[in-house]
Amino acid sequence: DAKTTQPNSMESNEEEPVHLPCNHSTISGTDYIHWYRQLPSQGPEYVIHGLTSNVNNRMASLAIAEDRKSSTLILHRATLRDAAVYYCILRELRDSNYQLIWGAGTKLIIKP
Amino acid sequence: DAGVIQSPRHEVTEMGQEVTLRCKPISGHNSLFWYRQTMMRGLELLIYFNNNVPIDDSGMPEDRFSAKMPNASFSTLKIQPSEPRDSAVYFCASSPDRVGGYTFGSGTRLTVV
């Protein structure tokens, strides 16, 4: 199974950009890169996903390395409400169906 | 859209009792997933359905666990008999297709005493 590696925790200041790194050196050509976040006492929340090209949405941007072995989730202006655990996940093709393989995530701490 | 709806939000039961968790996926989503989350093991996929058919139940811990999806708008996860080690937060999620994002419910916090 392809795996992802993320730092256990990161700190950032409020209203500054945040770059959350993820390594996935064993990614295969059909694996999608997904990011989710989980706020305290809530279910995981979808943030963004991509395959090869960089992606932008209202929540964040996803920068994917050219060799796809790493990616970075970018929060352009962090707020206190962005404090959460951020999961970088590969959606892998298994037996003709895609599944998410979860890791431990990065706990993002936002300092006011 | 009301999102993925799970019930109950909290369940406290005695060891040996049957527990049924319920999930209503987002209308039009054809994939449904049951996850369990604990501090020790993180998020674990228990089972997932595609078009109401169970595709992969390899994550179901043992025969005490069973899941059904009788139609596109309803699924249940049953534990019988329940044990204290089943205490966890159980999440249901749905996805509109095979590669897009999942939408999770708010979860059911199960405590077995």
Side-chain angles (χ1 to χ4, degrees):
Chain A
D1 295 345
K3 296 292 190 291
T4 61
T5 304
Q6 300 176 254
N8 289 333
S9 65
M10 289 182 62
E11 287 190 0
S12 182
N13 294 319
E14 193 178 11
E15 298 187 5
E16 291 186 356
V18 180
H19 291 236
L20 296 164
C22 181
N23 288 319
H24 27 78
S25 58
T26 59
I27 192 171
S28 70
T30 56
D31 293 343
Y32 283 76
I33 301 161
H34 282 237
W35 283 83
Y36 288 75
R37 70 180 186 181
Q38 188 171 22
L39 280 66
S41 301
Q42 294 188 27
E45 175 187 24
Y46 167 79
V47 177
I48 200 166
H49 79 281
L51 184 61
T52 56
S53 303
N54 294 344
V55 185
N56 299 294
N57 66 22
R58 62 175 179 81
M59 291 182 70
S61 295
L62 175 60
I64 301 173
E66 196 168 332
D67 63 4
R68 300 207 329 126
K69 294 185 176 182
S70 65
S71 61
T72 303
L73 180 72
I74 303 166
L75 306 179
H76 296 286
R77 191 166 168 270
T79 70
L80 295 177
R81 287 175 293 181
D82 292 320
V85 177
Y86 286 78
Y87 294 95
C88 168
I89 303 152
L90 299 183
R91 191 163 185 183
E92 300 185 338
L93 182 61
R94 283 184 176 180
D95 299 326
S96 302
N97 289 282
Y98 280 90
Q99 295 184 36
L100 293 180
I101 309 299
W102 295 78
T106 296
K107 184 175 183 178
L108 177 63
I109 299 165
I110 305 296
K111 296 181 288 184
Chain B
D1 194 334
V4 175
I5 300 172
Q6 290 187 248
S7 63
R9 286 298 306 274
H10 302 273
E11 177 82 33
V12 180
T13 191
E14 291 185 347
M15 183 173 63
Q17 296 298 306
E18 177 180 295
V19 175
T20 300
L21 311 181
R22 297 172 176 81
C23 176
K24 176 179 169 56
I26 290 175
S27 177
H29 283 197
N30 57 19
S31 295
L32 182 140
F33 307 82
W34 282 100
Y35 282 87
R36 177 172 67 177
Q37 188 173 36
T38 61
M39 289 292 291
M40 291 295 294
R41 300 173 68 92
L43 268 163
E44 301 174 279
L45 176 65
L46 300 177
I47 186 171
Y48 89 92
F49 295 84
N50 197 44
N51 293 323
N52 311 338
V53 176
I55 301 299
D56 183 355
D57 65 354
S58 60
M60 296 285 261
E62 47 197 274
D63 292 345
R64 297 184 298 107
F65 285 68
S66 63
K68 293 181 179 179
M69 191 164 186
N71 56 61
S73 60
F74 184 66
S75 177
T76 58
L77 178 67
K78 185 178 293 186
I79 308 172
Q80 165 64 21
S82 58
E83 296 181 4
R85 60 190 168 123
D86 301 330
S87 297
V89 181
Y90 290 80
F91 289 105
C92 175
S94 68
S95 173
D97 55 39
R98 295 178 0 158
V99 300
Y102 292 14
T103 301
F104 281 78
S106 299
T108 295
R109 181 174 295 276
L110 174 65
T111 303
V112 183
V113 298

